Amino acid sequence: MDKELMQSSALLIPAYKPDDRLPPYVAALKEAGVGKIVIVDDGSGESFRPLFDQIPQDDVTVVLSYTPNGGKGHALKTGMQYLMEHCPGQKYIITADSDGQHTVTDVLRMVDALHENDEGLLLGSRDFSKNNKNVPWKSRFGNRTTSVVFKLFYGQWVTDTQTGLRGFERSLLPSMLAVRGERYEYEMNMLIDCAQQKTPMRALPIETVYENNNEGSHFRPFQDSMRIYAVILGSFFKFIGTALLSWVVDYTLFVLLNLLFEKAFPWMNVTITLWFAAVILRIAIAKVLARLASGVVNYTLNKKLVFEDKGSAAKSGLRYVCIFILNLILSVVLTSTLHLLLGVSENIITIPVDIFLFIANYFVQRAWVFKKPVPEAESQTEA
């Protein structure tokens, strides 16, 4: 492989209580010509100091240590910050685990693949097919399940959502540093941010290595899996909570106003035919007034709690109003039409109508109304 190309690469290894495979692994990477190797001692403790001391610190390798343990995400961001501030000549950033899963050959292939195409995020993808007998069943099941859930919620199929072998061009460092999460959830948040910001993600098949049934990993199957799924589904569950509260406001006002109009204002019972649909005036007015009140509640909660949007309220507010008006029209038309077609009470038929619109709203608001801005790329600095 081209020596100059390897010199432009940097390998970042987060390490928490690693075993004795780490020093020879670093030595092999150094021998292969990797330009910069940053090992982050994530609070392993004094008992592991002799192991880290086996790694010589020179112009190629550096060990960053701190206490207490901050988590894998914290370690990765510590290393990325160091690379951004002190290694301007490293064009390609590769992250790898310290437990022996990522071979030197695959690291070199990652560098070569980034040289051919450095757009977006490159993921070292393991083979989780049933034909691969080297994969523990819990790893195969966990990765496949996560891939399916990720596809449903974020629209992209990621073959290996939990791979630690990842690569990108250094201009993405600000985006990677902006990703939330300090522990294992950081890597999932990285995929989510890429999906939301339309950053390309592609897979590079790599060797599947599970030494000693992956006993060297500090991944906690239950706690960390729950943390990962909380990341994937967290905003949706918060969206459900704010939607339920808003729906209570909307439904309560709609029922009260609809009953009031029906009893106090008989002239509102008139049916207006609009092309393919029919609209009952009292239902329309009750819907509009109830939805206006619940819309204010919903926008405020979604902006602050669900999508944590820190941007201008004018921009997201205008987009929300557009979606709000469309939903209001659809809710009025569907509720009135289904009420007349099916003969079901409008107070009942509005429930499935609003559930359908609510699910559609989540994806539209996440992708458009409260779309996250892309962090500014790092300015190119000459080495």
Side-chain angles (χ1 to χ4, degrees):
M1 185 173 288
D2 184 81
K3 184 177 180 180
E4 184 177 348
L5 172 61
M6 291 308 302
Q7 286 296 310
S8 68
S9 65
L11 187 71
L12 170 58
I13 305 174
Y16 174 63
K17 296 184 177 180
D19 57 32
D20 55 10
R21 290 172 293 183
L22 180 59
Y25 180 55
V26 173
L29 289 163
K30 189 174 180 180
E31 179 68 22
V34 176
K36 195 74 177 181
I37 305 172
V38 178
I39 303 96
V40 182
D41 170 18
D42 184 28
S44 301
E46 285 301 316
S47 61
F48 284 83
R49 178 51 47 198
L51 186 145
F52 285 104
D53 286 342
Q54 294 178 40
I55 302 173
Q57 300 201 50
D58 48 34
D59 59 341
V60 175
T61 57
V62 61
V63 178
L64 306 176
S65 299
Y66 54 79
T67 56
N69 169 253
K72 189 176 184 181
H74 183 80
L76 286 169
K77 285 190 276 190
T78 298
M80 290 177 191
Q81 189 68 43
Y82 177 88
L83 287 169
M84 189 165 68
E85 294 177 356
H86 301 283
C87 307
Q90 311 314 126
K91 184 176 182 181
Y92 305 117
I93 314 299
I94 311 290
T95 67
D97 293 339
S98 64
D99 57 7
Q101 285 195 39
H102 306 133
T103 67
V104 174
T105 300
D106 283 332
V107 171
L108 302 183
R109 291 177 60 238
M110 291 283 287
V111 176
D112 193 47
L114 284 171
H115 178 62
E116 293 179 3
N117 178 9
D118 63 7
E119 186 179 12
L121 180 64
L122 181 64
L123 301 170
S125 181
R126 295 162 290 181
D127 178 12
F128 288 105
S129 67
K130 293 181 179 180
N131 296 329
N132 191 344
K133 304 301 181 183
N134 296 324
V135 181
W137 71 268
K138 64 180 182 180
S139 295
R140 176 182 293 112
F141 177 79
N143 272 276
R144 284 301 185 207
T145 302
T146 307
S147 294
V148 171
V149 175
F150 193 89
K151 171 67 175 178
L152 289 173
F153 279 85
Y154 298 98
Q156 292 193 35
W157 178 262
V158 179
T159 306
D160 189 352
T161 60
Q162 296 174 33
T163 180
L165 187 61
R166 304 179 179 198
F168 52 89
E169 202 270 336
R170 72 173 294 116
S171 62
L172 285 181
L173 277 171
S175 294
M176 298 306 174
L177 285 167
V179 174
R180 293 180 303 168
E182 298 298 309
R183 298 191 177 276
Y184 279 102
E185 76 276 9
Y186 169 81
E187 291 180 308
M188 183 57 67
N189 273 328
M190 182 190 294
L191 301 182
I192 291 173
D193 279 11
C194 285
Q196 292 179 337
Q197 295 169 4
K198 306 301 181 184
T199 301
M201 290 185 285
R202 62 191 191 283
L204 177 71
I206 62 173
E207 185 179 353
T208 307
V209 180
Y210 283 101
E211 296 190 18
N212 300 321
N213 202 33
N214 204 27
E215 291 179 359
S217 172
H218 294 283
F219 183 82
R220 301 167 298 176
F222 180 76
Q223 299 98 314
D224 291 319
S225 292
M226 289 300 99
R227 190 185 294 271
I228 287 171
Y229 279 103
V231 170
I232 298 177
L233 304 174
S235 64
F236 184 66
F237 285 143
K238 286 191 288 186
F239 188 80
I240 290 176
T242 60
L244 285 175
L245 179 58
S246 302
W247 181 82
V248 168
V249 174
D250 182 89
Y251 184 71
T252 301
L253 286 176
F254 170 72
V255 171
L256 292 175
L257 291 171
N258 188 45
L259 289 174
L260 173 65
F261 294 158
E262 184 179 25
K263 301 296 183 183
F265 306 101
W267 59 270
M268 286 189 179
N269 291 322
V270 63
T271 300
I272 303 173
T273 302
L274 300 171
W275 297 293
F276 58 89
V279 175
I280 299 175
L281 186 59
R282 62 176 165 80
I283 293 178
I285 296 177
K287 271 285 184 183
V288 168
L289 294 176
R291 192 57 55 90
L292 284 172
S294 65
V296 173
V297 173
N298 187 252
Y299 170 78
T300 303
L301 293 176
N302 284 348
K303 179 175 171 60
K304 293 184 177 180
L305 300 179
V306 179
F307 302 104
E308 299 179 5
D309 177 50
K310 296 179 175 61
S312 169
K315 185 175 182 180
S316 61
L318 180 60
R319 292 179 174 180
Y320 186 88
V321 168
C322 294
I323 299 302
F324 173 84
I325 293 172
L326 177 61
N327 273 274
L328 181 58
I329 294 172
L330 289 174
S331 182
V332 170
V333 171
L334 290 175
T335 299
S336 295
T337 301
L338 291 175
H339 163 63
L340 294 173
L341 287 177
L342 303 177
V344 179
S345 169
E346 61 270 31
N347 294 334
I348 300 298
I349 202 64
T350 193
I351 297 176
V353 168
D354 288 344
I355 289 176
F356 167 77
L357 293 175
F358 146 75
I359 295 174
N361 258 285
Y362 170 73
F363 293 101
V364 173
Q365 289 190 37
R366 188 191 68 195
W368 186 56
V369 178
F370 300 107
K371 182 180 180 181
K372 290 185 178 180
V374 179
E376 292 185 7
E378 176 193 15
S379 60
Q380 297 300 316
T381 305
E382 294 295 327

